[in-house]
Amino acid sequence: MKKILAALAIFAMLMAIWQVPPAKGEPIKLTYANFPPANTFPSVQMERWKQEVEKRTNGKVSIQTFPGGTLLDAKNMMDGVISGQANIGCLSMAYQPGRFIVTNALSLPLNIKTAVQGSLALWDFYNKYKPKEFEQVKVLTMFSTAPSNIMSTIPIKSLDDIKGVPLRASGGAGDILKLWGANMVGMPMSDTPEALQKGVVKGLFTSLEVLMDFKFAELCKYATITDAGVYPFAVVMNMDTWNKLPDDVKKVMDDLGREQAEWTGKYMDEHVIKSLEWSKKNHGLQVITLPPEELKKWHDLLEPITKKWIEDAKAKGLPAEQMLADLKELVKKYAK
């Protein structure tokens, strides 16, 4: 019996990977995994992409979405798509910085002001270099968060104010906080509300839409604008699944690549504005804008992050300086 069950399990996995063509007249059924909750921007863009693909293929494709880590979690997303546990997956490269060193260059302090600027720069940068980190999958689109800023229970107006303050962050944002002298605390976003209530952390460092989406404005009454880093995301498809799709369906998905990057960036930027307005109106949020000379001090402290990325990229045989110069040009291009 155990041998029979094991054989059935292997057969099921092979079916997922091979994706047996549907009977004539039936839609091609695909699964799409995502890790954040359904109301957050990576899952909102997932639903938009699903709807556009289904509409533009005239129902030839049917996509079942799985937000909130119900099919694959954040750290297993890439490998889960490669193995065929999901046909499509959305991942944040910040969760595995060493694995995605090229595209994680976007999270360096590049003075990115908006999500649409970061998203389009990332998409062009990926297509210019086509890094090996994505060679086992088909990349469908890429996008970024809006810039990271500080949300806190206490006002932070200077580098002296932030010294020793426990703030939640993840990935490259944590390195930024350390250089500013804060006490960086790594924890899942879902654990942060309780940590704020108990005083374990005094705030967090990420993009400002979470003030509304996670109701952090109920606890964090201050937002200090630093615009010091973004998180890159990618949507990838299992390569066997991609290879078995009809050419007309492939064209629909390819045509959506850049469009989806721009749409997601614009949605994110508008959502941040809405979040700030909601937080000010309903919870009295105070937005702290640092004077230019003070903000320059903060940004000057972040040079070691860029130097380390260059060293790490060179160690992998990558043309680090040229890559960074190209990325900076793209960031400048989309600032307009």
Side-chain angles (χ1 to χ4, degrees):
M1 180 59 73
K2 288 182 179 178
K3 289 182 179 179
I4 293 172
L5 291 173
L8 288 171
I10 293 170
F11 179 76
M13 179 64 75
L14 291 174
M15 287 298 98
I17 295 173
W18 291 338
Q19 191 190 353
V20 176
K24 191 173 181 180
E26 290 184 8
I28 299 166
K29 295 181 180 179
L30 302 175
T31 56
Y32 187 156
N34 215 333
F35 64 93
N39 67 319
T40 58
F41 92 101
S43 292
V44 171
Q45 74 77 33
M46 172 176 70
E47 296 300 332
R48 188 264 177 179
W49 188 87
K50 159 196 160 76
Q51 291 167 10
E52 288 299 314
V53 169
E54 291 177 345
K55 180 176 69 176
R56 296 183 193 193
T57 60
N58 296 312
K60 194 170 183 177
V61 176
S62 176
I63 302 166
Q64 185 177 6
T65 55
F66 295 86
T70 50
L71 182 55
L72 288 170
D73 62 22
K75 291 188 177 179
N76 294 317
M77 191 62 69
M78 185 68 160
D79 291 328
V81 170
I82 290 171
S83 68
Q85 290 174 260
N87 300 119
I88 307 164
C90 178
L91 63 122
S92 171
M93 286 80 93
Y95 282 90
Q96 295 174 289
R99 183 174 185 175
F100 300 105
I101 188 167
V102 174
T103 47
N104 267 321
L106 193 82
S107 64
L108 297 172
L110 297 170
N111 200 31
I112 294 172
K113 298 293 187 183
T114 67
V116 72
Q117 180 188 10
S119 297
L120 290 175
L122 175 62
W123 182 242
D124 286 1
F125 185 61
Y126 163 76
N127 280 290
K128 179 178 177 62
Y129 284 100
K130 293 289 177 69
K132 289 183 178 180
E133 56 213 52
F134 290 100
E135 65 183 1
Q136 290 180 278
V137 294
K138 165 66 179 178
V139 175
L140 297 171
T141 192
M142 287 189 174
F143 52 87
S144 82
T145 63
S148 294
N149 295 288
I150 299 167
M151 290 146 271
S152 55
T153 58
I154 58 173
I156 296 175
K157 300 180 180 180
S158 68
L159 287 168
D160 289 336
D161 290 342
I162 200 174
K163 277 189 170 57
V165 176
L167 296 172
R168 180 267 175 196
S170 64
D175 296 331
I176 291 173
L177 287 182
K178 290 174 186 176
L179 288 169
W180 285 340
N183 176 19
M184 194 283 284
V185 180
M187 67 173 63
M189 191 70 82
S190 56
D191 294 345
T192 307
E194 184 179 355
L196 282 166
Q197 289 171 345
K198 292 182 177 180
V200 174
V201 296
K202 297 290 185 182
L204 64 157
F205 183 56
T206 188
S207 46
L208 294 169
E209 85 286 352
V210 299
L211 283 166
M212 182 170 65
D213 289 354
F214 286 88
K215 303 295 188 289
F216 284 132
E218 294 176 358
L219 299 165
C220 296
K221 301 301 180 183
Y222 304 92
T224 303
I225 306 304
T226 61
D227 289 344
V230 301
Y231 288 91
F233 283 72
V235 179
V236 299
M237 177 180 277
N238 175 275
M239 192 60 82
D240 289 329
T241 298
W242 173 257
N243 289 335
K244 286 178 170 54
L245 291 176
D247 288 343
D248 58 334
V249 172
K250 287 180 179 178
K251 186 178 188 308
V252 166
M253 293 181 179
D254 277 338
D255 289 348
L256 264 170
R258 188 183 189 280
E259 177 189 323
Q260 184 71 11
E262 184 172 13
W263 184 93
T264 306
K266 287 180 177 178
Y267 170 83
M268 177 64 156
D269 291 331
E270 290 168 1
H271 198 55
V272 165
I273 293 170
K274 190 181 298 183
S275 174
L276 282 170
E277 291 173 350
W278 177 87
S279 301
K280 290 175 185 176
K281 180 180 178 180
N282 294 287
H283 298 286
L285 177 78
Q286 295 183 42
V287 177
I288 298 168
T289 303
L290 300 173
E293 61 276 12
E294 179 67 22
L295 186 60
K296 185 178 184 302
K297 291 179 189 175
W298 291 54
H299 282 233
D300 287 347
L301 288 172
L302 305 180
E303 287 184 17
I305 294 175
T306 301
K307 288 180 180 177
K308 185 177 187 308
W309 182 87
I310 291 173
E311 290 171 3
D312 291 345
K314 280 184 172 180
K316 290 181 178 287
L318 297 168
E321 282 98 344
Q322 185 59 53
M323 283 182 158
L324 191 56
D326 289 342
L327 183 55
K328 285 180 177 179
E329 276 301 309
L330 289 168
V331 167
K332 184 178 178 181
K333 172 184 175 181
Y334 289 115
K336 300 174 184 177

